[in-house]
Amino acid sequence: EETFIQPILIPKTPQRYYFKFGKPVTTAGLYEEGFSKDEEGVQAMYDGVKEDVEDGIEWLLRRRKEDPFGDTVFRTLYEVASGGKQAPTFNP
């Protein structure tokens, strides 16, 4: 007979959410202009959007590492100790 040993799960403490909104990608009217048939133009647009998204993710990851109040426990302690004042965020 086998003995079942349930795995022990230790959940991670939630952290802040980080968002960055990039420049809008204008696509209005491109289909009517036949843009979808221009393979080089489509690839150039794709590469540009991909680069912008990758840069944004890299920026967010770098900022998350630099955030002194990213840890929920430390941030909560700070906010309680300061009388409910919200912990500061970073400036873009």
Side-chain angles (χ1 to χ4, degrees):
E1 183 173 314
E2 293 184 34
T3 305
F4 175 73
I5 300 174
Q6 184 170 349
I8 299 173
L9 300 175
I10 302 173
K12 287 186 172 183
T13 307
Q15 293 187 349
R16 281 187 175 177
Y17 289 105
Y18 300 85
F19 298 94
K20 180 176 183 181
F21 296 94
K23 63 182 179 183
V25 178
T26 306
T27 59
L30 291 180
Y31 181 77
E32 292 81 11
E33 296 173 7
F35 183 76
S36 61
K37 295 177 181 156
D38 177 13
E39 291 183 23
E40 290 179 11
V42 170
Q43 188 63 46
M45 178 181 270
Y46 174 83
D47 292 341
V49 171
K50 180 180 176 186
E51 182 179 345
D52 289 346
V53 170
E54 288 173 347
D55 289 346
I57 291 171
E58 180 183 314
W59 184 86
L60 288 167
L61 291 173
R62 191 172 54 250
R63 289 299 194 161
R64 182 170 69 179
K65 286 180 184 177
E66 296 170 359
D67 187 1
F69 296 99
D71 180 51
T72 302
V73 175
F74 181 68
R75 186 174 64 250
T76 304
L77 289 173
Y78 174 87
E79 291 174 353
V80 169
S82 65
K85 179 182 169 189
Q86 183 179 358
T89 60
F90 57 84
N91 293 323

